[in-house]
Amino acid sequence: MTVARTESTTLSNGVKMPWLGLGVWKVKDDGEAERTVTSAIEAGYRSIDTAAAYNNEAGVGAGIRNSGITRDEIFVTTKIWNANQGYESSLAAFEESRRKLGVDVIDLLLIHWPVKEKYTETWRALEKLYRDGYVRAIGVSNFQVHHLQNIITSGEFIPMVNQVEYHPLLTQQELRSFAKSSNIQLMAWSPLMQGNLDQSVLTEIGAKYGKSPAQVVLRWDLQNEVVTIPKSINPVRLQENADIFDFALTPEEVAQISALNRNHRFGPDPDNFNF
């Protein structure tokens, strides 16, 4: 049982990554990102997930510096955006992200989406950054099994993480099984279904433990061995989302939640996107 907010999974290269992190998609870089990150770290979060496309890396970096926690205690993830994919352009985009974040080394660098004809070259750039010690781990985001197979076949390293849309309405069992067999850590974005938590199963299980539907879902993530990064800018909600380490779902309850699957996406389909 995962019992502490700072407890970590060990990636395939031995790097430790917290099971719980803060996602900052749509968090504004007008002071909001800085305040949110600082509040999250005060609440015990030790992992922050951002991206160049979120336009808030500078605020995230400021929040980390203002937290009073040493840099090596915070796990920082960012991503190479689609327009910057390709070998040389990815290397340049990484330098820009590093400058905005104000860090020397990024803990985890991901390819944001599998852009056709480009993502294998982007992966080659990530491998160089990893070999050169500028990133501690490399991975992908929104990759399906066939994308992962292409990377594994053509690359030097197997992705250490795949961050995907994952929640009770989209359990991605085939992808999850492939990731597990390939020693790729799965990571959930939009774990709380963008607020669509009105499911009687979640309410009933939550009532049993004195937990909200959101807390039940986040606990379900952890027990499925999926890293989770719920987003909130509300300090109270940040605390609530982290309060998931004092109870455990039964195997039957995990199965009940998984049975909600409808293969329903709130975000784009990785095989059909145009950005």
Side-chain angles (χ1 to χ4, degrees):
M1 177 179 172
T2 308
V3 295
R5 295 179 189 184
T6 54
E7 198 160 319
S8 300
T9 180
T10 302
L11 303 181
S12 60
N13 66 341
V15 167
K16 292 188 179 299
M17 178 181 186
W19 285 106
L20 174 70
L22 172 72
V24 295
W25 179 53
K26 289 190 174 180
V27 179
K28 298 172 185 175
D29 204 18
D30 59 358
E32 185 176 75
E34 182 177 346
R35 290 191 301 272
T36 300
V37 169
T38 301
S39 293
I41 293 172
E42 287 174 355
Y45 291 74
R46 292 296 180 268
S47 177
I48 312 296
D49 178 275
T50 185
Y54 300 169
N55 295 311
N56 58 20
E57 288 172 312
V60 167
I64 291 170
R65 289 189 296 276
N66 290 346
S67 71
I69 301 296
T70 59
R71 168 68 187 91
D72 61 1
E73 292 184 62
I74 308 296
F75 192 97
V76 178
T77 300
T78 195
K79 310 174 190 76
I80 301 293
W81 181 240
N82 302 347
N84 296 322
Q85 287 196 37
Y87 185 76
E88 294 294 344
S89 51
S90 291
L91 295 177
F94 167 77
E95 288 298 337
E96 181 68 5
S97 287
R98 191 165 66 145
R99 181 189 67 79
K100 288 180 177 178
L101 285 162
V103 300
D104 294 325
V105 175
I106 287 172
D107 297 290
L108 176 63
L109 183 64
L110 305 178
I111 301 176
H112 208 146
W113 289 83
V115 176
K116 292 177 182 178
E117 313 300 332
K118 288 189 174 182
Y119 69 81
T120 54
E121 282 299 291
T122 304
W123 184 248
R124 198 161 63 86
L126 267 62
E127 289 181 323
K128 173 178 171 53
L129 292 167
Y130 177 64
R131 284 195 307 270
D132 291 348
Y134 292 112
V135 295
R136 298 177 63 228
I138 52 176
V140 296
S141 182
N142 301 301
F143 275 45
Q144 306 280 61
V145 170
H146 66 95
H147 301 122
L148 292 169
Q149 289 171 328
N150 286 342
I151 288 286
I152 291 169
T153 300
S154 64
E156 179 182 350
F157 298 101
I158 294 174
M160 294 145 200
V161 171
N162 186 17
Q163 182 186 125
V164 298
E165 182 178 353
Y166 177 88
H167 46 68
L169 298 180
L170 183 68
T171 58
Q172 306 228 50
Q173 287 305 307
E174 180 190 3
L175 180 62
R176 184 167 163 252
S177 296
F178 182 84
K180 190 173 182 65
S181 66
S182 304
N183 205 10
I184 299 170
Q185 175 63 57
L186 208 64
M187 183 178 183
W189 64 258
S190 279
L192 300 179
M193 302 180 280
Q194 298 183 16
N196 292 275
L197 293 161
D198 186 19
Q199 302 285 338
S200 59
V201 170
L202 302 178
T203 303
E204 290 164 10
I205 293 173
K208 173 182 172 182
Y209 296 106
K211 297 294 181 179
S212 69
Q215 290 168 318
V216 169
V217 170
L218 296 175
R219 184 70 215 178
W220 173 81
D221 283 346
L222 300 188
Q223 290 187 220
N224 280 322
E225 299 182 324
V226 176
V227 169
T228 191
I229 49 167
K231 172 235 173 177
S232 179
I233 61 172
N234 183 317
V236 174
R237 188 63 54 81
L238 284 170
Q239 188 73 43
E240 288 177 358
N241 287 345
D243 189 19
I244 56 173
F245 296 94
D246 57 352
F247 77 109
L249 303 169
T250 67
E252 293 76 18
E253 288 164 344
V254 171
Q256 278 183 285
I257 297 167
S258 298
L260 293 171
N261 180 54
R262 300 292 181 271
N263 295 322
H264 177 80
R265 294 183 182 276
F266 293 97
D269 178 349
D271 282 323
N272 296 285
F273 65 94
N274 59 358
F275 48 83

